[in-house]
Amino acid sequence: MKIPVIKKLVENFTLSELENAENAILEENKPAIEIEGDDEGEQLTHVMAAIWIQKEMQKESIPFAKALRAYTQKVRVSIGG
């Protein structure tokens, strides 16, 4: 997971564009937008994170940095147990 890639996605694409890209990757198709990543798994991780962060920003009316912190805390908890 690369934070600069996620930030670029959040700043440059709409929620709809990101969701369409997620669906394309899940269906093993090439997304209409460019998503950086070493492989499809990393690209999917980036787009899913960007979707979650955009939704959190809208729901909570918070800036990117705060939504990113919430996302990384969520990931740490899920990995840690």
Side-chain angles (χ1 to χ4, degrees):
M1 181 173 75
K2 296 176 182 141
I3 303 303
V5 174
I6 295 167
K7 185 174 193 264
K8 185 174 164 183
L9 291 172
V10 169
E11 291 176 344
N12 293 301
F13 299 102
T14 66
L15 185 56
S16 178
E17 290 172 316
L18 294 171
E19 288 172 338
N20 288 338
E22 176 188 31
N23 289 331
I25 294 169
L26 290 171
E27 293 170 5
E28 298 182 5
N29 294 320
K30 183 174 171 54
I33 63 173
E34 184 179 339
I35 303 168
E36 295 175 43
D38 294 337
D39 56 32
E40 287 180 352
E42 189 174 45
Q43 291 171 351
L44 183 60
T45 297
H46 291 154
V47 78
M48 289 175 74
I51 289 167
W52 191 94
I53 289 168
Q54 268 202 6
K55 287 181 177 179
E56 191 72 4
M57 289 169 66
Q58 291 172 7
K59 183 176 77 173
E60 301 295 330
S61 297
I62 57 175
F64 172 80
K66 193 168 183 177
L68 174 63
R69 276 194 299 277
Y71 180 77
T72 56
Q73 286 177 327
K74 176 175 126 68
V75 170
R76 278 192 220 114
V77 168
S78 71
I79 292 172

